[in-house]
Amino acid sequence: MPINANNPDKKTWLPVPENSDFPIQNIPFGVFLTRDDIITIGTRIGNTAIDLGALHQLGYFEGIPLTEDIFLQDTLNDFISDGKQTWRLVRNRISDIFNIENRVLQNNEDHKKVVLFSMDEIEMKLPVLIGDYTDFYSSKEHATNVGTMFRDPENALMPNWLHLPVGYHGRSSTIVPSGTPVRRPMGQTFPKGAEKPIFGPSKLVDFELEMAFITTDGNAMGEPISIEEAEDHIFGMVVFNDWSARDIQKWEYVPLGPFLAKNFASSISPWIVTLDALEPFRVESPEQNPEPFSYLQQEGKHSFDIHLKVAITPENGKSNAVSKSNFKYMYWTMAQQLAHHTVNGCKVNSGDMMGSGTLSGPTPDSYGSMLELAWQGTKPIKLDNGEERKFIHDGDTVTMTGYCTKNGVRIGFGELSTKLLPIFEPKKK
Ligand code: CA
C-alpha cells in the first residue's frame, strides 16, 4: 500500500507556519486533554491539534476497519495493536481530509468546531501506556567516551560491544511527557577522596540525548522477531531524555548495571512520529566490523537522518545550545535492537518503549550528555549569562529537539522541554 501521506507536493487548508515540525506530511499521533477536559487521541498539523475521536464519530474514517472507540481512549496501545496496515490507512485518510483540494471538512464549520483545537488550549499527555522500557547503549562514540573516562582509554569498548546491542531493562513508571518537571534525586555516592559512601542529593545530574521507538505486539513468548520483519513492528519514534545521576551511577552500577541513577525520571516528546513519516529520510547506518551474527545482518538503509539539538536554559536566563548530534550516528539499528531483544524469545507488547542510548556524534560539540560535553567536569560549558555548567543545576530547563529535512519537507518531533527541580523536601509538621 503506498504512503500517499508522504507526497512532498501536498498542501493543507490548515495554516502551517514556516519551518513547522508538523506539515501535512508528518501526521504524528498523540494523546491530549481538550479544552472541555476530555481525553482523546489526536494528531497535529501546524499549530492545530486534531481530535481523531471526534473525526471518527463524524464518519470521516468510514471504510477503514476501526472499532468505534479506538480513538476515544487515553492511550494509543489498542490502535498500535491494530498493525501497520491500519496505521497507514488512517494516516493516508487524515492526509486526504486536510488536503487543500478536499472541501468536505474544510467547508463544514460545525464539524471544525468539535474537531480542531489550537495547541495552547490542549494539554499533551503520555501517548502510550508503557508496559516495559528497555534502554540500549548503541552509540559507539558515547560508549567509547564513557569507557575512556570510567575505565581504560586503551580498552574503552567492552569486548561484547561490537558483537551485540548492549542494553538493560529500565523502569516505565517514571517516564513523563515534555513539560513535566523532574526532581533532583537523593542517593548514595562515593565521592573521590572519601573514605566511605555518603547519602545526599546527587551533585551530578545529567541529561542523555536519546531517541526511543515504540513497538507493537509482534511475537508470542518463545518466538523471536526476525531482523527482516523488525521494522514492521515499530510504530514510531520520540525524542527521549534519559535523566541520569552520574555520581549515584558510578557507585551503584557494579555488577548489575544502572538502577536508581536512571529510574528517577525519563522524559519524552509527546507526539509519536511514525516510521512511515520518516521513510523519506532513511540513510545507511555506520559500517559494522566485525560482521554481526546472521540474525543481526541486514541490507539497505535502516537508519534515519534526524538532526538533534540540546539547549540549557537557566532560571530567568536565555536558551544556550550545548549539543548538535544526529540519530544516524547510532551503530546498531532499531531493527537490530529489536531482533536482538527477542532472539531469546522475549515477548514485546504494544506500547513498549526502547531507548537508543545516548546519541553522541564524532566531534566534541556533538556529544549527547554533560558528562561528555564537559568531560567529567574538566571542561565546563560557558553559558551566555557568564555562568558555567559541568552538570545540570536546579532551575535549569533542558530542551531537546529533532527534525529531518529533504526535498523542501521538514518533519520534526516538536520540543522536549523539562525543568530540573530541587530535591524533595518533606512538609514540616
Ligand atoms: Ca540511557
Side-chain angles (χ1 to χ4, degrees), residues 6 88 117 121 147 151 238 253 260 287 295 362 398 429:
N6 288 359
R88 197 168 281 182
F117 298 83
E121 55 186 1
R151 285 188 309 274
V238 293
Y253 87 106
L260 306 185
E287 199 184 317
Y295 77 93
V398 175
K429 282 177 189 159

Side-chain angles (χ1 to χ4, degrees), residues 41 71 125 132 137-138 155 162 174 212 280 314 316 386 414:
I41 286 171
F71 297 126
K125 306 300 247 182
D132 275 309
Y137 189 55
S138 289
N155 300 290
L162 292 168
T174 30
N316 306 319

Side-chain angles (χ1 to χ4, degrees), residues 106-156:
Q106 192 175 172
N107 289 350
N108 192 326
E109 293 304 322
D110 290 344
H111 284 187
K112 281 201 280 190
K113 250 180 238 161
V114 294
V115 169
L116 306 180
F117 298 83
S118 73
M119 281 305 296
D120 51 23
E121 55 186 1
I122 64 157
E123 183 191 330
M124 295 303 298
K125 306 300 247 182
L126 268 188
V128 278
L129 177 69
I130 305 162
D132 275 309
Y133 152 53
T134 299
D135 198 21
F136 286 94
Y137 189 55
S138 289
S139 149
K140 192 176 175 184
E141 288 81 358
H142 173 69
T144 304
N145 286 340
V146 174
T148 301
M149 276 185 270
F150 280 17
R151 285 188 309 274
D152 171 11
E154 297 300 310
N155 300 290

Side-chain angles (χ1 to χ4, degrees), residues 109-330:
E109 293 304 322
D110 290 344
H111 284 187
K112 281 201 280 190
K113 250 180 238 161
V114 294
V115 169
L116 306 180
F117 298 83
S118 73
M119 281 305 296
D120 51 23
E121 55 186 1
I122 64 157
E123 183 191 330
M124 295 303 298
K125 306 300 247 182
L126 268 188
V128 278
L129 177 69
I130 305 162
D132 275 309
Y133 152 53
T134 299
D135 198 21
F136 286 94
Y137 189 55
S138 289
S139 149
K140 192 176 175 184
E141 288 81 358
H142 173 69
T144 304
N145 286 340
V146 174
T148 301
M149 276 185 270
F150 280 17
R151 285 188 309 274
D152 171 11
E154 297 300 310
N155 300 290
L157 286 183
M158 295 297 264
N160 59 4
W161 202 93
L162 292 168
H163 295 276
L164 56 88
V166 169
Y168 71 98
H169 286 118
R171 192 159 172 90
S172 53
S173 59
T174 30
I175 299 179
V176 291
S178 178
T180 307
V182 305
R183 279 202 182 279
R184 178 179 298 276
M186 298 287 288
Q188 285 194 31
T189 61
F190 201 140
K192 238 185 202 159
E195 282 175 8
K196 53 185 184 180
I198 59 166
F199 176 76
S202 164
K203 292 192 172 72
L204 311 181
V205 173
D206 199 356
F207 59 79
E208 286 188 336
L209 171 63
E210 300 194 24
M211 298 206 66
F213 65 87
I214 289 104
T215 65
T216 185
D217 26 12
N219 63 335
M221 182 175 164
E223 298 175 11
I225 296 176
S226 72
I227 186 94
E228 291 81 19
E229 36 178 49
E231 284 177 2
D232 288 340
H233 297 296
I234 298 174
F235 176 60
M237 297 174 74
V238 293
V239 179
F240 185 67
N241 180 354
D242 191 23
W243 290 93
S244 300
R246 299 297 179 196
D247 42 0
I248 298 174
Q249 182 180 354
K250 199 167 181 186
W251 170 231
E252 75 171 3
Y253 87 106
V254 182
L256 288 186
F259 188 31
L260 306 185
K262 300 279 187 174
N263 70 6
F264 64 98
S266 302
S267 308
I268 63 168
S269 57
W271 294 104
I272 303 176
V273 176
T274 62
L275 224 53
D276 268 0
L278 296 170
E279 196 59 41
F281 308 100
R282 279 184 183 270
V283 286
E284 277 178 29
S285 50
E287 199 184 317
Q288 297 187 322
N289 186 18
E291 186 176 75
F293 282 101
S294 60
Y295 77 93
L296 293 172
Q297 282 178 17
Q298 55 186 169
E299 300 282 324
K301 298 174 173 175
H302 297 282
S303 193
F304 296 88
D305 186 13
I306 306 172
H307 303 272
L308 299 165
K309 268 190 219 165
V310 187
I312 297 174
T313 309
E315 201 136 49
N316 306 319
K318 283 189 210 151
S319 166
N320 296 257
V322 295
S323 176
K324 268 187 189 180
S325 188
N326 196 303
F327 182 72
K328 71 180 179 188
Y329 296 135
M330 193 161 82

